[in-house]
Amino acid sequence: MSVNLADYKDVWVYAEQREGKLMNVTLELLGEGFRLSRDIGGGSKVCAVLAGNNVDHLIEELFHRGADKVYCIKHPLLERYTTCGYTKVVTEAVKQYKPEIMLFGATHIGRDLAPRIAARLDTGLTADCTRLDINTADYIEYLNKNTKLNTESLKEHLEDKGLKQTRPAFGGNVMASILCPNTRPQMATVRPGVMKKMDVDKSKKGELVNVPASLSESDIRTKVLEVVKEAKEVVSLHDAEIIVSGGRGLGDKSGFDLIRKFAEKVGGVVGSSRAAVDAGWIDPAHQVGQTGTTVKPIIYFACGISGAIQHQAGMQNADCIIAINKDPDAPIFEIANFGLVGDLHKVIPELIAQWDQT
């Protein structure tokens, strides 16, 4: 169903918070939303929509991180995330204020919440985007080819700049660009670690809009009885400045003992390829790649990783990539800044020894 595009404005970012702390992907999306809103022009703003209870302390941080406006939805029943409760209040806010673009992090919560809101709004949603652009030319070309708008009507829409949403498709072998020309808002989930945060500006102020939440216990069909956190090694790949990843070339599970030793020596965290995870050598929380975590560290060590395109999609934006592999034709060397051809079981101990001498 087509809508009046002129009724919709601004870029909204869902400010995901857990236990009163903003997720890193929220800060990344605010930076991206700021860029998109300025590309749109015409006074477009980047706005954060913050839902929860006792979250007032996060409002100032959102302004400092780039938000021009914060829509705050508070209610005791929003203390913990529930699909039904959050879907209802955020959907009602979207219907009332009509954002042109709405972005979510591709987290467990974002992947649960975004499609439900899109379904209630009868609009499209592109999942796991790795790039977003405002592209008038592609948008108008699509309108010309695929809609019934006549020439005069098209002229009225020349200032409507569509969101071009890019994501991997067909196992990461192609990049698909997707447009949503006829419905609003244009919605996308974005992988954590892909977009760039804005610098903190503590002098920045913004507009606060308190949105009343119409919510009752009957609206929430599930009840959270207890939250049990799994006792396992904590992996913070998103925030790591140095990552040492191991792949099939390690030979077996014991190879990660060497990787952990190397990571500890250089002050990094341990990552892995999908092949190592599938082999049961390491927990899936360490996986880097298209089906794992997208990372952007300062230094990324790829040890015994051939560099399939799915893995490259998750780490190619690292500032410096150092590859260690005994196969000189491994694809990883095509994107590496530095390459060491040799047996990692000999190369890494030598690197550790050299590090001890510095």
Side-chain angles (χ1 to χ4, degrees):
M1 179 179 65
S2 297
V3 298
N4 184 0
L5 304 184
D7 292 339
Y8 294 78
K9 63 179 181 179
D10 295 337
V11 178
W12 276 25
V13 170
Y14 174 66
E16 182 178 336
Q17 56 85 22
R18 300 183 190 180
E19 298 181 349
K21 181 180 178 180
L22 290 174
M23 297 293 98
N24 274 324
V25 70
T26 297
L27 309 181
E28 294 167 4
L29 291 181
L30 282 173
E32 184 68 3
F34 184 90
R35 181 184 69 83
L36 293 173
S37 66
R38 272 49 182 180
D39 287 347
I40 293 172
S44 179
K45 298 178 180 179
V46 57
C47 309
V49 54
L50 175 64
N53 189 38
N54 298 318
V55 291
D56 288 343
H57 63 286
L58 299 177
I59 295 171
E60 190 174 31
E61 183 178 358
L62 292 169
F63 289 140
H64 293 169
R65 287 291 190 166
D68 298 311
K69 184 184 294 187
V70 172
Y71 292 92
C72 188
I73 312 171
K74 293 182 292 184
H75 195 283
L77 292 176
L78 299 176
E79 180 71 33
R80 288 177 173 172
Y81 174 79
T82 59
T83 301
C84 297
Y86 274 64
T87 298
K88 185 176 188 294
V89 298
V90 176
T91 300
E92 289 175 350
V94 171
K95 288 181 177 179
Q96 180 178 356
Y97 294 101
K98 294 182 169 56
E100 183 175 5
I101 295 170
M102 189 164 190
L103 307 178
F104 297 77
T107 62
H108 295 303
I109 287 178
R111 287 170 171 163
D112 177 64
L113 182 61
R116 294 173 185 273
I117 293 175
R120 294 195 182 190
L121 297 172
D122 197 24
T123 190
L125 171 69
T126 304
D128 283 357
C129 292
T130 56
R131 180 171 176 172
L132 300 170
D133 296 286
I134 301 299
N135 195 304
T136 304
D138 286 353
Y139 183 66
I140 297 302
E141 180 183 1
Y142 185 92
L143 288 175
N144 272 311
K145 290 181 177 179
N146 297 281
T147 73
K148 297 179 181 179
L149 293 174
N150 57 39
T151 303
E152 292 302 316
S153 182
L154 274 173
K155 289 179 180 178
E156 298 176 4
H157 291 283
L158 287 176
E159 296 303 318
D160 292 316
K161 300 180 180 181
L163 179 66
K164 184 162 72 170
Q165 304 152 85
T166 303
R167 58 150 294 154
F170 297 104
N173 293 309
V174 299
M175 300 301 286
S177 293
I178 300 169
L179 299 172
C180 182
N182 298 320
T183 58
R184 290 293 183 273
Q186 301 166 94
M187 293 179 60
T189 62
V190 179
R191 292 186 180 186
V194 174
M195 305 304 179
K196 185 178 180 180
K197 301 176 187 176
M198 290 183 65
D199 293 333
V200 177
D201 181 359
K202 293 189 176 181
S203 66
K204 190 177 186 304
K205 305 295 182 182
E207 178 184 354
L208 173 62
V209 179
N210 286 305
V211 182
S214 175
L215 192 63
S216 64
E217 291 190 0
S218 62
D219 294 318
I220 302 175
R221 291 179 290 179
T222 58
K223 185 176 181 180
V224 179
L225 299 178
E226 183 182 6
V227 176
V228 179
K229 295 184 179 180
E230 185 176 355
K232 66 177 183 180
E233 183 179 359
V234 177
V235 187
S236 184
L237 291 171
H238 290 309
D239 304 324
E241 294 185 348
I242 300 175
I243 296 175
V244 181
S245 283
R248 195 192 303 272
L250 294 178
D252 56 36
K253 184 176 182 178
S254 65
F256 273 101
D257 294 337
L258 181 60
I259 295 297
R260 291 187 181 93
K261 183 178 179 181
F262 187 30
E264 182 179 353
K265 185 65 64 175
V266 299
V269 301
V270 175
S272 76
S273 68
R274 179 173 178 173
V277 171
D278 288 347
W281 297 349
I282 195 167
D283 190 275
H286 294 267
Q287 184 178 329
V288 174
Q290 182 180 322
T291 53
T293 301
T294 300
V295 298
K296 192 163 52 176
I298 296 175
I299 302 175
Y300 186 87
F301 289 94
C303 308
I305 296 174
S306 62
I309 191 169
Q310 292 86 350
H311 187 77
Q312 291 187 24
M315 45 67 73
Q316 61 189 353
N317 290 322
D319 292 345
C320 179
I321 299 171
I322 302 173
I324 304 172
N325 201 297
K326 63 182 180 181
D327 179 6
D329 297 321
I332 193 68
F333 288 122
E334 297 177 8
I335 64 169
N337 300 96
F338 301 96
L340 298 172
V341 179
D343 184 347
L344 65 88
H345 295 282
K346 296 179 180 179
V347 173
I348 293 179
E350 182 62 27
L351 289 175
I352 293 174
Q354 292 292 329
W355 191 277
D356 287 336
Q357 296 177 12
T358 60

